[in-house]
Amino acid sequence: MVRRHRLRPGLLSLLLCASPALAQWEEPEPPSEPAPEARAQEELPLDGESDVHSQVASFAITRLRDSPAVVTSLTAEEIRDSGARDLMDVLLQVPGFFFGVDTQGTVGPGFRGLWGYEGKVLLVVDGKELNEQLYSTMQLGNELPVELIERIEVVRGPGSVIYGGNAELAVINVITRGVQGSSDLMVSGTYGQLESVNGRRSLTLSGRKVFESAPGLSVFASASLGQGQRSDGRFEDFFGNTAQLGGNTKLDPTTVQAGVGYRDLQLSVLYQRFATSAIVAFDEVLDAPAATDFESFHAELSNRFRPSERLEIIPRFNLTLAEPFRDTDQGSEFYYEKRVMRLRGRTMARWAALDYLQLTGGVDVASDQGRLEGPADVGLQTAFGADGATSVSYLNVAGFVEAFSENPIATVVAGARYENHSAFGSSFVPRLVLLRAFGPFSGKALFSRAFRAPGIENISLGADVKPERTTVYELEGTLRLGEGHALSANAFDVGVSDPIIYSYDAVTNEEAYRNLGRLGSRGVELDYHLKGSWGRVALSYSFYAPSGRNDVADYQVPGHSNAFTGMPTHKASLSGSLKLKPWLSVNPTAVLVGRRFAVDVPDDQGRSAVEELPTQLLLNLYVRARDVLTPGLEVGAGVYNILGTNFRIAQPYNGGHAPLPVFSREFLVRLSYLFDPALSEP
């Protein structure tokens, strides 16, 4: 029999019961609960979050609705029902998010009107930060196998106190099938067809094994291979040249995960290779598509020690190896071959000092190294810095603290992070959050400072570049109208000082990163959810407007002071799931995106051509059938962009890249089979 300590009320109880791993103090029982998808169908309450605990927005483990941030959470069921193909489909449903195109065919996120591709929005997968270390970017589009995702938590606001210098505007936290759960085996295949070429194809295999003979021991592994195309639309650059994207914009991901856990000791690895191609590299159509690869390996070792009933210590060690934006052809004008390595160690201590007070503190040390894998001054490859170095190394040391106090007046969360980087010095960011519930109404008031730390290439190409600083004020109110029925509204004000801006001098052929001016946006976001035995409906709306001092010309739209380049001022989304039968659902999704503007580089007279992209509607329909013929077999089919909208995204600064077609009409079929011995037992 497993012995358990008696749990005390308040924060300590929440700390210990947040997950099976935390609640088990001695010999853990082997997990015997149903698989995650089955749990989502059978056990979660209709409000979808009463029993969900999270640590995405705080060092403390809280109920998701009590997170000290504005958080959107999507369960595996909601993601499967919507037929989402990748993170872009998911983020379209999240208030504030949109996308922009950048050089070499890459697509990244914008948030609340601000371009977030380089180091402003952080992507975390199972605790591993996936933003690459050269430019701090993240790549979107057919990037992760959605079949493996169990939950996505999006912090719609700054996360630097928790995560550091790549979480200035928002955090996307992805939780996949891992070591937790029961023994099972899952296989999934997807086939999508665009009107003129294959859309996407994938095969995913995942398995977990819990060893009953060795309580607390479990292993997992997964592998996914995929192929895809960004679009089959026709692209036209600002010079009038055109190209067909079908067959010229590949998005081919390979993802491998593995891990082993024994009680609180866990080791996990993630390998990713994202092979892409683009028919436009910077501003002009190419004669042939240029290939760019993103390859990375992530490993994490973590443990948990409990010296006393009220204290736990959690050390984590991470290794990251990556080669982003890689083109190994030295005869190519886009040749680029640099390798980066990050070694990172973090230790956090949580102390439930009182039943109503939890204190957290810790240290975070990271060593970044970059080196050339080939010659400098060939293609796009440059040396590190003006002195022609072939390698660089930097050290970043951080300390953080947080106090989380529940009391009858209000829940108070106060925290701060201090970092010192060997190249650009120190950063200090505080945060204060107040939470209060009044019956069915709950409110949050948030003040946060955040920063975006320069990446290795930002430093190498920088003119004394330093972190940009952000100050954010947020208010959120949530009214729960009944079981599974809630309306949330929030208002925000974001101000960015000394943003890191890329510049290129066509005369000297030199590129540089500089801190220039100030940016700001303010607006409102609405989120409505209704859930019942019949299904669910989710409706969201987001609005932003430039605020305060906005004097960065690269992000301004001539003649339209109320908009940032490339980003829509308005966005509304509606998603639903109607259960026709207990095993059959119909799931429409509609996203209305307001007008946005594409801006060309200024001409000799300093004038820029502006193209207006009109308000457009994306309409998808997905049908999902579970337990078809046999338990565990699922069949899904959907059509995306039913209306055939010529949907394009712009470059969110005046870099000369014309709007890129995305979200072409696609027909998709998905088959998956989950074998869970626990569910098949009588």
Side-chain angles (χ1 to χ4, degrees):
M1 178 180 293
V2 177
R3 295 187 319 218
R4 304 178 190 270
H5 288 263
R6 185 180 300 275
L7 302 181
R8 301 187 181 185
L11 277 173
L12 182 64
S13 176
L14 187 61
L15 172 67
L16 298 180
C17 70
S19 70
L22 288 177
Q24 296 169 354
W25 282 67
E26 294 191 10
E27 293 185 350
E29 297 170 337
S32 59
E33 68 269 28
E37 290 195 23
R39 290 200 306 270
Q41 297 176 41
E42 299 173 4
E43 296 180 11
L44 282 180
L46 293 178
D47 63 11
E49 57 180 36
S50 295
D51 293 337
V52 176
H53 294 79
S54 174
Q55 206 177 339
V56 68
S58 171
F59 293 114
I61 300 171
T62 69
R63 289 181 296 271
L64 194 60
R65 64 172 59 170
D66 298 327
S67 292
V70 179
V71 178
T72 294
S73 176
L74 292 147
T75 66
E77 279 297 289
E78 292 168 328
I79 296 169
R80 306 286 192 278
D81 281 345
S82 71
R85 298 160 294 179
D86 53 26
L87 285 181
M88 291 183 70
D89 282 345
V90 173
L91 292 176
L92 273 177
Q93 304 175 42
V94 179
F97 275 91
F98 196 62
F99 315 105
V101 62
D102 207 1
T103 58
Q104 296 174 268
T106 56
V107 170
F111 184 63
R112 292 176 173 172
L114 302 174
W115 182 220
Y117 177 56
E118 286 193 55
K120 294 180 175 68
V121 177
L122 177 65
L123 175 60
V124 182
V125 176
D126 297 328
K128 305 171 185 66
E129 298 184 4
L130 263 60
N131 293 54
E132 45 86 14
Q133 277 80 51
L134 289 176
Y135 296 92
S136 304
T137 65
M138 53 181 288
Q139 319 307 320
L140 291 178
N142 205 31
E143 68 295 304
L144 289 172
V146 294
E147 297 85 356
L148 299 179
I149 296 176
E150 292 191 354
R151 192 165 80 252
I152 294 178
E153 301 166 339
V154 181
V155 179
R156 290 156 40 206
S160 288
V161 171
I162 307 296
Y163 298 97
N166 283 343
E168 180 187 21
L169 299 179
V171 179
I172 304 166
N173 184 43
V174 179
I175 299 99
T176 71
R177 288 167 51 88
V179 72
Q180 301 294 334
S182 59
S183 296
D184 59 24
L185 179 66
M186 188 272 288
V187 61
S188 178
T190 298
Y191 179 83
Q193 179 68 39
L194 301 175
E195 293 188 28
S196 60
V197 296
N198 289 331
R200 65 193 72 211
R201 293 171 287 184
S202 68
L203 179 63
T204 302
L205 180 66
S206 175
R208 297 184 287 203
K209 173 64 176 176
V210 176
F211 294 88
E212 297 182 2
S213 59
L217 177 63
S218 57
V219 298
F220 78 95
S222 66
S224 179
L225 300 176
Q227 294 179 322
Q229 290 288 322
R230 177 75 70 187
S231 168
D232 67 348
R234 177 164 290 274
F235 171 81
E236 181 176 355
D237 64 26
F238 281 126
F239 304 99
N241 305 308
T242 63
Q244 189 68 35
L245 299 186
N248 292 317
T249 55
K250 73 175 184 179
L251 302 170
D252 296 350
T254 300
T255 305
V256 179
Q257 293 176 282
V260 58
Y262 180 66
R263 300 185 179 178
D264 289 326
L265 180 65
Q266 293 193 4
L267 172 65
S268 61
V269 298
L270 167 63
Y271 168 80
Q272 216 180 23
R273 184 174 183 269
F274 196 36
T276 74
S277 67
I279 197 62
V280 53
F282 296 102
D283 58 358
E284 192 171 3
V285 169
L286 302 173
D287 294 332
T292 304
D293 289 353
F294 300 83
E295 188 171 23
S296 62
F297 172 83
H298 308 264
E300 179 177 81
L301 176 66
S302 65
N303 205 345
R304 191 183 307 269
F305 302 98
R306 301 182 181 88
S308 71
E309 187 180 55
R310 289 181 173 267
L311 176 66
E312 70 173 2
I313 300 172
I314 305 171
R316 298 169 61 189
F317 301 95
N318 291 79
L319 167 66
T320 299
L321 300 171
E323 290 189 51
F325 296 98
R326 183 179 62 196
D327 182 343
T328 60
D329 181 5
Q330 295 187 18
S332 167
E333 61 180 308
F334 308 112
Y335 170 72
Y336 187 86
E337 198 174 7
K338 294 184 179 181
R339 177 184 290 264
V340 293
M341 179 177 72
R342 166 170 287 186
L343 292 172
R344 187 175 186 182
R346 288 168 283 181
T347 298
M348 178 180 69
R350 279 201 294 252
W351 179 37
L354 301 167
D355 284 350
Y356 57 84
L357 176 64
Q358 178 178 303
L359 301 176
T360 303
V363 295
D364 185 347
V365 180
S367 172
D368 290 336
Q369 300 177 27
R371 75 167 187 260
L372 303 185
E373 294 292 285
D377 301 321
V378 175
L380 299 177
Q381 180 133 294
T382 59
F384 292 108
D387 58 356
T390 59
S391 64
V392 291
S393 62
Y394 303 107
L395 181 66
N396 191 77
V397 179
F400 51 84
V401 294
E402 181 184 79
F404 192 107
S405 175
E406 289 181 331
N407 58 76
I409 300 175
T411 297
V412 180
V413 184
R417 184 184 189 94
Y418 174 83
E419 284 197 6
N420 186 269
H421 192 278
S422 59
F424 50 76
S426 62
S427 301
F428 175 75
V429 287
R431 180 177 72 156
L432 178 64
V433 184
L434 302 178
L435 303 93
R436 184 71 165 90
F438 305 90
F441 177 81
S442 61
K444 300 177 183 179
L446 307 96
F447 161 77
S448 300
R449 287 238 166 106
F451 67 103
R452 183 235 158 160
I456 291 176
E457 286 286 54
N458 303 141
I459 299 170
S460 176
L461 299 172
D464 296 323
V465 67
K466 60 184 180 181
E468 60 184 67
R469 316 288 182 178
T470 299
T471 302
V472 181
Y473 299 92
E474 298 173 279
L475 289 174
E476 182 189 46
T478 300
L479 180 62
R480 290 176 174 83
L481 305 170
E483 187 178 22
H485 195 186
L487 173 66
S488 297
N490 72 286
F492 61 86
D493 185 281
V494 182
V496 182
S497 300
D498 300 319
I500 300 172
I501 306 298
Y502 172 83
S503 62
Y504 175 74
D505 190 328
V507 176
T508 63
N509 198 32
E510 292 182 353
E511 53 184 350
Y513 285 89
R514 296 180 173 88
N515 297 95
L516 297 173
R518 182 176 172 83
L519 298 169
S521 74
R522 64 169 59 107
V524 295
E525 296 164 346
L526 304 176
D527 207 353
Y528 173 78
H529 288 270
L530 176 62
K531 298 182 181 181
S533 58
W534 49 268
R536 65 173 68 92
V537 173
L539 174 65
S540 71
Y541 168 76
S542 54
F543 164 80
Y544 85 87
S547 67
R549 190 178 120 206
N550 283 276
D551 54 10
V552 181
D554 283 356
Y555 298 115
Q556 295 176 347
V557 182
H560 299 274
S561 59
N562 62 340
F564 286 116
T565 305
M567 293 290 112
T569 304
H570 303 269
K571 189 189 82 168
S573 68
L574 173 66
S575 62
S577 178
L578 178 62
K579 293 183 179 179
L580 303 181
K581 298 284 185 180
W583 54 272
L584 179 65
S585 64
V586 176
N587 310 279
T589 302
V591 181
L592 184 67
V593 179
R595 67 173 184 169
R596 54 250 184 244
F597 301 93
V599 182
D600 196 1
V601 294
D603 59 19
D604 294 338
Q605 286 75 42
R607 296 170 300 188
S608 296
V610 177
E611 179 182 354
E612 179 179 333
L613 305 180
T615 298
Q616 292 180 304
L617 175 65
L618 283 174
L619 184 62
N620 305 334
L621 182 65
Y622 188 76
V623 179
R624 182 185 181 201
R626 288 166 288 188
D627 297 329
V628 178
L629 301 178
T630 184
L633 179 61
E634 179 177 312
V635 180
V639 55
Y640 302 79
N641 193 358
I642 294 173
L643 303 178
T645 303
N646 180 23
F647 199 92
R648 296 179 297 160
I649 57 175
Q651 189 172 39
Y653 59 94
N654 56 356
H657 197 304
L660 181 76
V662 294
F663 300 127
S664 297
R665 179 185 288 155
E666 183 173 6
F667 301 88
L668 182 138
V669 176
R670 177 178 290 141
L671 298 176
S672 64
Y673 178 67
L674 175 67
F675 173 71
D676 189 340
L679 295 179
S680 62
E681 293 177 358

